[in-house]
Amino acid sequence: MPMWKDGMTTEQVARNVLRSYLVRCHRLIREDYPEIATMSAEGSADFLLHLKDTGRIDIKLYNKDGDRIGCKITELRQQDEKPLT
């Protein structure tokens, strides 16, 4: 597995970039996700990464235009989860 100069794997570098984005853009993200609105930027980033790690959400970064990055958070439905009725 390729390593970066600081000894981190590509996956670790990608996770750090994603966390950094989530912290910097907390104000924008919390408008769409009231669950994190009262959390600190660092706390909400860690919470969202936990949800991603446990398979509850997917987080994708994309090029919004030439100068901006967008973020799409998709809720994933667990196979054994029953719909709320």
Short mmCIF file of all heavy atoms in Angstrom, two decimals, residues 2-68:
data_model
loop_
_atom_site.label_atom_id
_atom_site.label_comp_id
_atom_site.label_asym_id
_atom_site.label_seq_id
_atom_site.Cartn_x
_atom_site.Cartn_y
_atom_site.Cartn_z
N PRO A 2 0.65 2.20 -0.89
CA PRO A 2 1.48 3.40 -0.96
C PRO A 2 1.35 4.24 0.32
O PRO A 2 0.28 4.34 0.89
CB PRO A 2 0.94 4.17 -2.16
CG PRO A 2 -0.12 3.35 -2.76
CD PRO A 2 -0.38 2.18 -1.89
N MET A 3 2.45 4.83 0.71
CA MET A 3 2.47 5.68 1.90
C MET A 3 2.88 7.09 1.48
O MET A 3 3.68 7.28 0.58
CB MET A 3 3.47 5.14 2.92
CG MET A 3 3.16 3.75 3.43
SD MET A 3 1.71 3.67 4.44
CE MET A 3 2.41 3.97 6.03
N TRP A 4 2.34 8.08 2.17
CA TRP A 4 2.73 9.47 1.96
C TRP A 4 4.01 9.72 2.74
O TRP A 4 4.42 8.92 3.58
CB TRP A 4 1.60 10.38 2.43
CG TRP A 4 0.41 10.29 1.52
CD1 TRP A 4 -0.46 9.25 1.42
CD2 TRP A 4 -0.02 11.23 0.56
NE1 TRP A 4 -1.40 9.50 0.47
CE2 TRP A 4 -1.16 10.72 -0.07
CE3 TRP A 4 0.45 12.49 0.18
CZ2 TRP A 4 -1.84 11.41 -1.06
CZ3 TRP A 4 -0.25 13.16 -0.80
CH2 TRP A 4 -1.37 12.62 -1.42
N LYS A 5 4.61 10.85 2.52
CA LYS A 5 5.88 11.18 3.17
C LYS A 5 5.78 11.11 4.69
O LYS A 5 6.73 10.73 5.36
CB LYS A 5 6.35 12.57 2.76
CG LYS A 5 6.89 12.65 1.36
CD LYS A 5 7.39 14.05 1.07
CE LYS A 5 7.84 14.17 -0.37
NZ LYS A 5 8.30 15.51 -0.68
N ASP A 6 4.65 11.49 5.24
CA ASP A 6 4.49 11.49 6.70
C ASP A 6 4.11 10.12 7.25
O ASP A 6 3.81 9.99 8.43
CB ASP A 6 3.49 12.55 7.13
CG ASP A 6 2.12 12.36 6.51
OD1 ASP A 6 1.91 11.35 5.81
OD2 ASP A 6 1.25 13.21 6.71
N GLY A 7 4.09 9.09 6.39
CA GLY A 7 3.79 7.74 6.84
C GLY A 7 2.32 7.39 6.82
O GLY A 7 1.94 6.29 7.21
N MET A 8 1.48 8.30 6.39
CA MET A 8 0.04 8.03 6.34
C MET A 8 -0.33 7.32 5.05
O MET A 8 0.32 7.51 4.02
CB MET A 8 -0.74 9.35 6.46
CG MET A 8 -0.55 10.04 7.80
SD MET A 8 -1.32 11.66 7.89
CE MET A 8 -3.03 11.25 7.78
N THR A 9 -1.38 6.52 5.12
CA THR A 9 -1.89 5.86 3.92
C THR A 9 -2.77 6.84 3.15
O THR A 9 -3.19 7.88 3.69
CB THR A 9 -2.72 4.62 4.27
OG1 THR A 9 -3.88 5.03 5.00
CG2 THR A 9 -1.92 3.62 5.10
N THR A 10 -3.07 6.51 1.92
CA THR A 10 -3.95 7.35 1.11
C THR A 10 -5.31 7.49 1.77
O THR A 10 -5.90 8.57 1.77
CB THR A 10 -4.10 6.75 -0.30
OG1 THR A 10 -2.80 6.67 -0.89
CG2 THR A 10 -4.99 7.59 -1.18
N GLU A 11 -5.81 6.42 2.38
CA GLU A 11 -7.11 6.46 3.06
C GLU A 11 -7.08 7.42 4.24
O GLU A 11 -8.03 8.15 4.48
CB GLU A 11 -7.53 5.07 3.52
CG GLU A 11 -7.91 4.12 2.40
CD GLU A 11 -6.70 3.53 1.68
OE1 GLU A 11 -5.56 3.56 2.23
OE2 GLU A 11 -6.87 3.07 0.55
N GLN A 12 -5.98 7.43 4.99
CA GLN A 12 -5.86 8.34 6.13
C GLN A 12 -5.80 9.79 5.66
O GLN A 12 -6.42 10.67 6.27
CB GLN A 12 -4.62 8.00 6.96
CG GLN A 12 -4.73 6.69 7.71
CD GLN A 12 -3.40 6.24 8.29
OE1 GLN A 12 -2.35 6.44 7.68
NE2 GLN A 12 -3.47 5.62 9.45
N VAL A 13 -5.08 10.04 4.59
CA VAL A 13 -4.99 11.40 4.05
C VAL A 13 -6.37 11.84 3.57
O VAL A 13 -6.81 12.97 3.85
CB VAL A 13 -3.95 11.46 2.91
CG1 VAL A 13 -4.01 12.81 2.19
CG2 VAL A 13 -2.56 11.20 3.45
N ALA A 14 -7.08 10.96 2.86
CA ALA A 14 -8.42 11.30 2.36
C ALA A 14 -9.37 11.59 3.52
O ALA A 14 -10.17 12.53 3.46
CB ALA A 14 -8.95 10.16 1.50
N ARG A 15 -9.29 10.81 4.59
CA ARG A 15 -10.15 11.03 5.76
C ARG A 15 -9.84 12.39 6.40
O ARG A 15 -10.74 13.12 6.80
CB ARG A 15 -9.97 9.90 6.77
CG ARG A 15 -10.85 10.04 7.98
CD ARG A 15 -10.63 8.87 8.95
NE ARG A 15 -11.42 9.00 10.12
CZ ARG A 15 -12.66 8.59 10.26
NH1 ARG A 15 -13.26 8.00 9.24
NH2 ARG A 15 -13.32 8.75 11.38
N ASN A 16 -8.56 12.73 6.49
CA ASN A 16 -8.17 14.02 7.06
C ASN A 16 -8.67 15.18 6.21
O ASN A 16 -9.11 16.20 6.74
CB ASN A 16 -6.66 14.10 7.24
CG ASN A 16 -6.16 13.24 8.38
OD1 ASN A 16 -6.94 12.78 9.21
ND2 ASN A 16 -4.86 13.01 8.41
N VAL A 17 -8.60 15.04 4.89
CA VAL A 17 -9.11 16.07 3.98
C VAL A 17 -10.62 16.22 4.17
O VAL A 17 -11.14 17.33 4.26
CB VAL A 17 -8.76 15.75 2.51
CG1 VAL A 17 -9.51 16.65 1.55
CG2 VAL A 17 -7.26 15.85 2.30
N LEU A 18 -11.33 15.10 4.24
CA LEU A 18 -12.78 15.14 4.42
C LEU A 18 -13.13 15.79 5.76
O LEU A 18 -14.00 16.65 5.83
CB LEU A 18 -13.36 13.72 4.34
CG LEU A 18 -14.87 13.60 4.57
CD1 LEU A 18 -15.65 14.46 3.56
CD2 LEU A 18 -15.29 12.14 4.48
N ARG A 19 -12.45 15.40 6.83
CA ARG A 19 -12.73 15.99 8.15
C ARG A 19 -12.47 17.49 8.14
O ARG A 19 -13.25 18.28 8.66
CB ARG A 19 -11.88 15.32 9.23
CG ARG A 19 -12.25 15.83 10.62
CD ARG A 19 -11.42 15.17 11.71
NE ARG A 19 -11.89 15.56 13.02
CZ ARG A 19 -11.61 16.74 13.60
NH1 ARG A 19 -10.87 17.62 12.97
NH2 ARG A 19 -12.09 17.02 14.80
N SER A 20 -11.37 17.90 7.51
CA SER A 20 -11.04 19.32 7.41
C SER A 20 -12.14 20.08 6.69
O SER A 20 -12.55 21.17 7.11
CB SER A 20 -9.71 19.49 6.69
OG SER A 20 -9.42 20.84 6.49
N TYR A 21 -12.64 19.51 5.60
CA TYR A 21 -13.74 20.14 4.85
C TYR A 21 -14.98 20.25 5.74
O TYR A 21 -15.62 21.30 5.79
CB TYR A 21 -14.06 19.35 3.58
CG TYR A 21 -15.27 19.93 2.87
CD1 TYR A 21 -15.13 20.96 1.96
CD2 TYR A 21 -16.55 19.46 3.16
CE1 TYR A 21 -16.23 21.52 1.34
CE2 TYR A 21 -17.66 20.01 2.54
CZ TYR A 21 -17.50 21.04 1.63
OH TYR A 21 -18.59 21.60 1.03
N LEU A 22 -15.34 19.18 6.43
CA LEU A 22 -16.53 19.19 7.27
C LEU A 22 -16.42 20.23 8.38
O LEU A 22 -17.42 20.88 8.73
CB LEU A 22 -16.78 17.80 7.85
CG LEU A 22 -17.16 16.71 6.85
CD1 LEU A 22 -17.18 15.34 7.53
CD2 LEU A 22 -18.49 17.00 6.18
N VAL A 23 -15.24 20.40 8.94
CA VAL A 23 -15.04 21.42 9.98
C VAL A 23 -15.18 22.81 9.39
O VAL A 23 -15.90 23.66 9.92
CB VAL A 23 -13.66 21.24 10.66
CG1 VAL A 23 -13.32 22.44 11.54
CG2 VAL A 23 -13.63 19.96 11.49
N ARG A 24 -14.50 23.07 8.27
CA ARG A 24 -14.54 24.40 7.65
C ARG A 24 -15.93 24.79 7.18
O ARG A 24 -16.30 25.97 7.21
CB ARG A 24 -13.59 24.45 6.45
CG ARG A 24 -12.14 24.61 6.80
CD ARG A 24 -11.30 24.93 5.57
NE ARG A 24 -11.89 24.47 4.33
CZ ARG A 24 -11.44 23.44 3.62
NH1 ARG A 24 -10.38 22.78 4.01
NH2 ARG A 24 -12.03 23.09 2.51
N CYS A 25 -16.71 23.83 6.73
CA CYS A 25 -18.02 24.12 6.14
C CYS A 25 -19.17 23.78 7.07
O CYS A 25 -20.30 23.62 6.63
CB CYS A 25 -18.15 23.38 4.81
SG CYS A 25 -16.92 23.93 3.63
N HIS A 26 -18.89 23.69 8.36
CA HIS A 26 -19.93 23.34 9.34
C HIS A 26 -21.15 24.25 9.23
O HIS A 26 -22.28 23.79 9.26
CB HIS A 26 -19.34 23.38 10.75
CG HIS A 26 -20.35 23.20 11.83
ND1 HIS A 26 -20.97 21.99 12.05
CD2 HIS A 26 -20.86 24.06 12.74
CE1 HIS A 26 -21.82 22.12 13.06
NE2 HIS A 26 -21.77 23.36 13.49
N ARG A 27 -20.92 25.54 9.11
CA ARG A 27 -22.03 26.50 9.05
C ARG A 27 -22.97 26.19 7.89
O ARG A 27 -24.19 26.24 8.04
CB ARG A 27 -21.47 27.92 8.91
CG ARG A 27 -22.53 29.00 8.93
CD ARG A 27 -21.92 30.39 8.80
NE ARG A 27 -21.01 30.54 7.68
CZ ARG A 27 -21.40 30.76 6.43
NH1 ARG A 27 -22.67 30.83 6.12
NH2 ARG A 27 -20.50 30.89 5.47
N LEU A 28 -22.43 25.81 6.75
CA LEU A 28 -23.27 25.49 5.59
C LEU A 28 -23.95 24.14 5.75
O LEU A 28 -25.12 23.98 5.40
CB LEU A 28 -22.42 25.49 4.32
CG LEU A 28 -21.77 26.82 3.95
CD1 LEU A 28 -20.80 26.63 2.80
CD2 LEU A 28 -22.82 27.86 3.64
N ILE A 29 -23.22 23.16 6.27
CA ILE A 29 -23.76 21.81 6.41
C ILE A 29 -24.88 21.77 7.44
O ILE A 29 -25.90 21.11 7.25
CB ILE A 29 -22.64 20.80 6.76
CG1 ILE A 29 -21.65 20.70 5.61
CG2 ILE A 29 -23.22 19.43 7.08
CD1 ILE A 29 -20.39 19.93 5.95
N ARG A 30 -24.73 22.52 8.54
CA ARG A 30 -25.73 22.46 9.60
C ARG A 30 -27.09 23.01 9.17
O ARG A 30 -28.11 22.68 9.75
CB ARG A 30 -25.23 23.15 10.86
CG ARG A 30 -25.19 24.64 10.77
CD ARG A 30 -24.71 25.23 12.05
NE ARG A 30 -24.73 26.68 11.93
CZ ARG A 30 -24.17 27.48 12.79
NH1 ARG A 30 -23.55 26.98 13.84
NH2 ARG A 30 -24.21 28.77 12.62
N GLU A 31 -27.10 23.86 8.13
CA GLU A 31 -28.37 24.37 7.62
C GLU A 31 -29.22 23.23 7.04
O GLU A 31 -30.43 23.25 7.13
CB GLU A 31 -28.12 25.43 6.56
CG GLU A 31 -27.51 26.70 7.12
CD GLU A 31 -27.10 27.68 6.04
OE1 GLU A 31 -27.37 27.43 4.85
OE2 GLU A 31 -26.51 28.72 6.40
N ASP A 32 -28.57 22.23 6.47
CA ASP A 32 -29.27 21.10 5.86
C ASP A 32 -29.47 19.93 6.82
O ASP A 32 -30.30 19.07 6.57
CB ASP A 32 -28.52 20.59 4.63
CG ASP A 32 -28.52 21.61 3.50
OD1 ASP A 32 -29.48 22.38 3.40
OD2 ASP A 32 -27.54 21.63 2.74
N TYR A 33 -28.70 19.91 7.90
CA TYR A 33 -28.74 18.78 8.84
C TYR A 33 -28.90 19.29 10.27
O TYR A 33 -27.91 19.51 10.97
CB TYR A 33 -27.48 17.91 8.69
CG TYR A 33 -27.37 17.37 7.30
CD1 TYR A 33 -26.60 18.02 6.34
CD2 TYR A 33 -28.10 16.25 6.91
CE1 TYR A 33 -26.54 17.56 5.04
CE2 TYR A 33 -28.05 15.79 5.61
CZ TYR A 33 -27.26 16.44 4.69
OH TYR A 33 -27.22 16.00 3.40
N PRO A 34 -30.14 19.50 10.71
CA PRO A 34 -30.38 20.07 12.04
C PRO A 34 -29.83 19.23 13.19
O PRO A 34 -29.61 19.74 14.28
CB PRO A 34 -31.90 20.20 12.12
CG PRO A 34 -32.45 19.40 11.01
CD PRO A 34 -31.37 19.22 9.99
N GLU A 35 -29.56 17.95 12.94
CA GLU A 35 -29.02 17.08 13.99
C GLU A 35 -27.67 17.59 14.50
O GLU A 35 -27.30 17.33 15.64
CB GLU A 35 -28.84 15.64 13.50
CG GLU A 35 -30.10 14.99 13.00
CD GLU A 35 -30.32 15.21 11.50
OE1 GLU A 35 -29.63 16.04 10.87
OE2 GLU A 35 -31.19 14.54 10.96
N ILE A 36 -26.93 18.30 13.65
CA ILE A 36 -25.60 18.76 14.04
C ILE A 36 -25.56 20.26 14.29
O ILE A 36 -24.51 20.82 14.59
CB ILE A 36 -24.55 18.38 12.98
CG1 ILE A 36 -24.83 19.06 11.65
CG2 ILE A 36 -24.44 16.88 12.82
CD1 ILE A 36 -23.69 19.00 10.67
N ALA A 37 -26.69 20.92 14.21
CA ALA A 37 -26.73 22.39 14.29
C ALA A 37 -26.17 22.92 15.60
O ALA A 37 -25.53 23.97 15.61
CB ALA A 37 -28.15 22.89 14.07
N THR A 38 -26.37 22.23 16.69
CA THR A 38 -25.92 22.73 17.98
C THR A 38 -24.53 22.21 18.38
O THR A 38 -24.00 22.60 19.40
CB THR A 38 -26.92 22.36 19.09
OG1 THR A 38 -27.04 20.94 19.16
CG2 THR A 38 -28.28 22.99 18.82
N MET A 39 -23.95 21.36 17.56
CA MET A 39 -22.62 20.80 17.85
C MET A 39 -21.54 21.77 17.41
O MET A 39 -21.76 22.61 16.54
CB MET A 39 -22.42 19.49 17.10
CG MET A 39 -23.30 18.37 17.52
SD MET A 39 -22.87 16.91 16.52
CE MET A 39 -24.07 15.75 17.12
N SER A 40 -20.35 21.61 18.00
CA SER A 40 -19.20 22.37 17.51
C SER A 40 -18.83 21.84 16.13
O SER A 40 -19.23 20.73 15.75
CB SER A 40 -18.02 22.20 18.47
OG SER A 40 -17.54 20.86 18.42
N ALA A 41 -18.06 22.61 15.40
CA ALA A 41 -17.65 22.18 14.06
C ALA A 41 -16.85 20.88 14.12
O ALA A 41 -17.09 19.96 13.34
CB ALA A 41 -16.82 23.28 13.39
N GLU A 42 -15.94 20.78 15.09
CA GLU A 42 -15.12 19.57 15.23
C GLU A 42 -15.98 18.38 15.66
O GLU A 42 -15.81 17.27 15.17
CB GLU A 42 -14.00 19.79 16.24
CG GLU A 42 -12.96 20.79 15.79
CD GLU A 42 -13.37 22.25 16.01
OE1 GLU A 42 -14.42 22.51 16.65
OE2 GLU A 42 -12.66 23.13 15.52
N GLY A 43 -16.90 18.63 16.60
CA GLY A 43 -17.78 17.56 17.08
C GLY A 43 -18.69 17.03 15.99
O GLY A 43 -18.90 15.83 15.86
N SER A 44 -19.23 17.94 15.18
CA SER A 44 -20.12 17.50 14.10
C SER A 44 -19.35 16.74 13.03
O SER A 44 -19.84 15.76 12.48
CB SER A 44 -20.88 18.67 13.49
OG SER A 44 -20.02 19.52 12.77
N ALA A 45 -18.11 17.17 12.73
CA ALA A 45 -17.29 16.45 11.75
C ALA A 45 -17.01 15.03 12.23
O ALA A 45 -17.15 14.07 11.47
CB ALA A 45 -15.98 17.19 11.50
N ASP A 46 -16.65 14.90 13.52
CA ASP A 46 -16.39 13.57 14.07
C ASP A 46 -17.65 12.71 14.08
O ASP A 46 -17.61 11.52 13.78
CB ASP A 46 -15.81 13.68 15.48
CG ASP A 46 -14.41 14.27 15.48
OD1 ASP A 46 -13.72 14.17 14.45
OD2 ASP A 46 -14.02 14.84 16.52
N PHE A 47 -18.80 13.32 14.39
CA PHE A 47 -20.08 12.60 14.40
C PHE A 47 -20.43 12.11 12.99
O PHE A 47 -20.80 10.94 12.80
CB PHE A 47 -21.18 13.50 14.95
CG PHE A 47 -22.54 12.87 14.94
CD1 PHE A 47 -22.84 11.82 15.79
CD2 PHE A 47 -23.53 13.34 14.09
CE1 PHE A 47 -24.11 11.24 15.78
CE2 PHE A 47 -24.79 12.77 14.08
CZ PHE A 47 -25.07 11.71 14.93
N LEU A 48 -20.28 12.98 11.99
CA LEU A 48 -20.59 12.59 10.62
C LEU A 48 -19.64 11.50 10.13
O LEU A 48 -20.06 10.56 9.44
CB LEU A 48 -20.54 13.80 9.69
CG LEU A 48 -21.67 14.81 9.88
CD1 LEU A 48 -21.39 16.09 9.10
CD2 LEU A 48 -23.01 14.22 9.50
N LEU A 49 -18.37 11.58 10.50
CA LEU A 49 -17.42 10.53 10.11
C LEU A 49 -17.76 9.22 10.80
O LEU A 49 -17.62 8.14 10.20
CB LEU A 49 -15.99 10.96 10.43
CG LEU A 49 -15.42 12.03 9.51
CD1 LEU A 49 -14.09 12.53 10.02
CD2 LEU A 49 -15.31 11.52 8.08
N HIS A 50 -18.24 9.29 12.04
CA HIS A 50 -18.68 8.07 12.73
C HIS A 50 -19.86 7.44 11.99
O HIS A 50 -19.89 6.22 11.78
CB HIS A 50 -19.07 8.40 14.18
CG HIS A 50 -19.83 7.30 14.85
ND1 HIS A 50 -19.24 6.13 15.27
CD2 HIS A 50 -21.15 7.19 15.14
CE1 HIS A 50 -20.16 5.34 15.81
NE2 HIS A 50 -21.32 5.97 15.74
N LEU A 51 -20.83 8.27 11.60
CA LEU A 51 -21.98 7.74 10.85
C LEU A 51 -21.53 7.13 9.53
O LEU A 51 -22.06 6.10 9.10
CB LEU A 51 -23.01 8.85 10.61
CG LEU A 51 -23.71 9.40 11.84
CD1 LEU A 51 -24.68 10.51 11.44
CD2 LEU A 51 -24.44 8.31 12.60
N LYS A 52 -20.54 7.73 8.89
CA LYS A 52 -20.00 7.19 7.64
C LYS A 52 -19.31 5.85 7.91
O LYS A 52 -19.51 4.88 7.18
CB LYS A 52 -19.01 8.18 7.01
CG LYS A 52 -18.40 7.73 5.71
CD LYS A 52 -17.43 8.77 5.20
CE LYS A 52 -16.83 8.46 3.87
NZ LYS A 52 -16.38 7.13 3.64
N ASP A 53 -18.50 5.80 8.96
CA ASP A 53 -17.76 4.58 9.29
C ASP A 53 -18.68 3.42 9.65
O ASP A 53 -18.35 2.26 9.42
CB ASP A 53 -16.80 4.82 10.46
CG ASP A 53 -15.65 5.74 10.08
OD1 ASP A 53 -15.40 5.92 8.87
OD2 ASP A 53 -15.01 6.28 11.00
N THR A 54 -19.84 3.73 10.23
CA THR A 54 -20.78 2.69 10.63
C THR A 54 -21.81 2.38 9.54
O THR A 54 -22.73 1.60 9.76
CB THR A 54 -21.50 3.06 11.94
OG1 THR A 54 -22.17 4.31 11.79
CG2 THR A 54 -20.52 3.14 13.10
N GLY A 55 -21.65 3.00 8.36
CA GLY A 55 -22.50 2.67 7.23
C GLY A 55 -23.87 3.31 7.25
O GLY A 55 -24.76 2.89 6.52
N ARG A 56 -24.05 4.34 8.05
CA ARG A 56 -25.36 4.99 8.12
C ARG A 56 -25.53 6.12 7.11
O ARG A 56 -26.64 6.44 6.72
CB ARG A 56 -25.62 5.48 9.54
CG ARG A 56 -25.72 4.27 10.48
CD ARG A 56 -25.75 4.62 11.93
NE ARG A 56 -26.87 5.46 12.28
CZ ARG A 56 -26.95 6.10 13.44
NH1 ARG A 56 -25.99 5.97 14.33
NH2 ARG A 56 -27.99 6.85 13.71
N ILE A 57 -24.40 6.74 6.71
CA ILE A 57 -24.43 7.78 5.69
C ILE A 57 -23.25 7.60 4.75
O ILE A 57 -22.29 6.90 5.07
CB ILE A 57 -24.39 9.21 6.29
CG1 ILE A 57 -23.06 9.46 7.02
CG2 ILE A 57 -25.60 9.48 7.17
CD1 ILE A 57 -22.87 10.91 7.45
N ASP A 58 -23.34 8.24 3.60
CA ASP A 58 -22.23 8.31 2.67
C ASP A 58 -21.94 9.79 2.45
O ASP A 58 -22.86 10.60 2.34
CB ASP A 58 -22.60 7.63 1.35
CG ASP A 58 -21.42 7.53 0.41
OD1 ASP A 58 -20.30 7.31 0.90
OD2 ASP A 58 -21.62 7.68 -0.80
N ILE A 59 -20.68 10.16 2.44
CA ILE A 59 -20.28 11.55 2.24
C ILE A 59 -19.40 11.60 1.00
O ILE A 59 -18.40 10.90 0.90
CB ILE A 59 -19.48 12.09 3.45
CG1 ILE A 59 -20.28 11.91 4.74
CG2 ILE A 59 -19.11 13.56 3.22
CD1 ILE A 59 -19.49 12.25 5.99
N LYS A 60 -19.79 12.43 0.06
CA LYS A 60 -19.03 12.60 -1.18
C LYS A 60 -18.71 14.07 -1.37
O LYS A 60 -19.58 14.93 -1.19
CB LYS A 60 -19.83 12.12 -2.40
CG LYS A 60 -20.20 10.67 -2.38
CD LYS A 60 -19.02 9.83 -2.71
CE LYS A 60 -19.47 8.39 -2.82
NZ LYS A 60 -18.40 7.46 -2.80
N LEU A 61 -17.48 14.37 -1.72
CA LEU A 61 -17.08 15.72 -2.11
C LEU A 61 -17.04 15.75 -3.63
O LEU A 61 -16.70 14.77 -4.27
CB LEU A 61 -15.71 16.06 -1.54
CG LEU A 61 -15.59 16.06 -0.02
CD1 LEU A 61 -14.16 16.44 0.40
CD2 LEU A 61 -16.59 16.97 0.63
N TYR A 62 -17.42 16.89 -4.20
CA TYR A 62 -17.42 17.01 -5.65
C TYR A 62 -17.07 18.44 -6.04
O TYR A 62 -17.15 19.36 -5.21
CB TYR A 62 -18.79 16.60 -6.24
CG TYR A 62 -19.92 17.49 -5.77
CD1 TYR A 62 -20.32 18.60 -6.51
CD2 TYR A 62 -20.62 17.21 -4.59
CE1 TYR A 62 -21.36 19.41 -6.08
CE2 TYR A 62 -21.66 18.01 -4.16
CZ TYR A 62 -22.02 19.11 -4.92
OH TYR A 62 -23.04 19.92 -4.48
N ASN A 63 -16.65 18.63 -7.27
CA ASN A 63 -16.36 19.97 -7.78
C ASN A 63 -17.66 20.67 -8.10
O ASN A 63 -18.38 20.25 -9.01
CB ASN A 63 -15.49 19.89 -9.05
CG ASN A 63 -14.10 19.44 -8.76
OD1 ASN A 63 -13.59 19.68 -7.67
ND2 ASN A 63 -13.47 18.78 -9.71
N LYS A 64 -17.94 21.72 -7.34
CA LYS A 64 -19.17 22.48 -7.56
C LYS A 64 -19.00 23.39 -8.78
O LYS A 64 -19.90 23.53 -9.60
CB LYS A 64 -19.48 23.29 -6.31
CG LYS A 64 -20.88 23.69 -6.16
CD LYS A 64 -21.13 24.21 -4.77
CE LYS A 64 -22.61 24.25 -4.53
NZ LYS A 64 -22.94 24.52 -3.17
N ASP A 65 -17.88 24.02 -8.85
CA ASP A 65 -17.47 24.78 -10.03
C ASP A 65 -15.95 24.88 -9.98
O ASP A 65 -15.32 24.16 -9.21
CB ASP A 65 -18.15 26.16 -10.09
CG ASP A 65 -17.90 27.02 -8.87
OD1 ASP A 65 -16.78 26.98 -8.33
OD2 ASP A 65 -18.82 27.74 -8.46
N GLY A 66 -15.36 25.74 -10.75
CA GLY A 66 -13.91 25.80 -10.82
C GLY A 66 -13.21 26.12 -9.52
O GLY A 66 -12.06 25.75 -9.33
N ASP A 67 -13.90 26.81 -8.60
CA ASP A 67 -13.25 27.26 -7.38
C ASP A 67 -13.84 26.70 -6.10
O ASP A 67 -13.31 26.96 -5.02
CB ASP A 67 -13.33 28.79 -7.29
CG ASP A 67 -12.60 29.48 -8.42
OD1 ASP A 67 -11.56 28.94 -8.86
OD2 ASP A 67 -13.06 30.54 -8.88
N ARG A 68 -14.94 25.97 -6.20
CA ARG A 68 -15.61 25.53 -4.97
C ARG A 68 -15.83 24.02 -4.96
O ARG A 68 -16.00 23.39 -5.99
CB ARG A 68 -16.97 26.22 -4.83
CG ARG A 68 -16.85 27.71 -4.68
CD ARG A 68 -18.17 28.37 -4.42
NE ARG A 68 -19.12 28.07 -5.48
CZ ARG A 68 -20.42 28.27 -5.41
NH1 ARG A 68 -20.94 28.76 -4.31
NH2 ARG A 68 -21.21 27.96 -6.40
#
